[in-house]
Amino acid sequence: MTEHYPKAPITEAIIALHFSSAPSIKSLEKFADKEKKNFPKRETLHSITAKIDVKTAKQDASVEVVGFKLTNPDAGLILQVSRSQFGVSKLAPYDRWEELFGSAHHAWEIFKSTVGHVGLSRLSTRFINRIDIPNKLGNSILLNDYFSLGLVLPKAVSEMGLVQFGISCRLDDPKNSLLNIININTVDPPL
């Protein structure tokens, strides 16, 4: 039985397939055209390159189309196809993994039938969570009261009040050759 989270803290869940060889913009546009019915909002993704020669002050800039961002009618599902990757993002509310995976698999099948074979270098997933911790001004927050991953700070330091926090871990899993990257950061509250 799969786990269902009626109020998951996930604001965005992403599955991305990274290409080892870049597909053409023409083939990506063909895919975007084919998905127009399911993803009617389309934005063009650009790469801007600027060069400045400090000795001569000569400036040169170029703009290149690198892909497309496609959004479904309720703006809850986004496809991003570029010369470097194919990505599917599910925005809140997040229901379950099977829903995201099913959407990604379906879109990938259409992508393969439209664009053809594209070599892959890696697959990645990312989950962006928002966890609001009530905190009255002046109260300290002990992260280990809320998370099982993080740092335990000395009591004197933790009593100073948390203003900003960030941790990044790279964990190799030799059993299945996965690299797990975990990033935790604080952000200002939206209200």
Side-chain angles (χ1 to χ4, degrees):
M1 186 170 147
T2 60
E3 190 77 28
H4 173 70
Y5 300 101
K7 292 184 180 180
I10 298 169
T11 59
E12 186 175 6
I14 304 145
I15 296 176
L17 290 90
H18 305 264
F19 303 138
S20 58
S21 57
S24 70
I25 289 299
K26 194 171 197 91
S27 65
L28 296 178
E29 189 169 23
K30 186 176 174 185
F31 169 75
D33 290 342
K34 196 169 193 175
E35 282 287 38
K36 189 173 186 168
K37 181 181 175 188
N38 297 322
F39 296 87
K41 183 179 178 191
R42 176 163 132 183
E43 299 171 54
T44 303
L45 304 174
H46 297 90
S47 173
I48 301 171
T49 305
K51 297 176 185 176
I52 301 172
D53 186 326
V54 292
K55 291 180 182 176
T56 64
K58 183 180 177 187
Q59 302 173 21
D60 184 33
S62 64
V63 178
E64 176 186 14
V65 174
V66 293
F68 303 95
K69 177 181 174 184
L70 312 173
T71 306
N72 75 344
D74 72 2
L77 194 64
I78 298 169
L79 298 181
Q80 286 196 57
V81 292
S82 71
R83 303 215 54 223
S84 62
Q85 72 177 9
F86 168 92
V88 178
S89 299
K90 173 65 177 105
L91 304 179
Y94 178 85
D95 186 39
R96 58 176 52 99
W97 167 256
E98 289 79 7
E99 180 186 345
L100 172 63
F101 182 80
S103 297
H105 185 265
H106 177 72
W108 178 246
E109 290 299 319
I110 294 169
F111 183 85
K112 286 191 315 183
S113 71
T114 307
V115 175
H117 174 76
V118 178
L120 299 176
S121 60
R122 72 182 177 108
L123 167 92
S124 63
T125 59
R126 180 171 47 163
F127 296 87
I128 300 170
N129 294 279
R130 176 180 162 181
I131 300 170
D132 293 316
I133 300 173
N135 182 28
K136 294 184 179 171
L137 193 60
N139 292 347
S140 63
I141 294 174
L142 299 176
L143 293 178
N144 54 325
D145 287 345
Y146 297 94
F147 303 101
S148 60
L149 175 71
L151 296 175
V152 178
L153 301 173
K155 187 173 182 181
V157 173
S158 65
E159 288 174 352
M160 290 180 191
L162 182 66
V163 177
Q164 184 177 4
F165 176 81
I167 185 171
S168 181
C169 303
R170 291 175 57 98
L171 308 166
D172 280 325
D173 185 349
K175 293 179 188 170
N176 56 24
S177 46
L178 291 179
L179 174 64
N180 299 283
I181 300 172
I182 300 169
N183 291 308
I184 300 172
N185 292 291
T186 58
V187 294
D188 291 331
L191 302 176

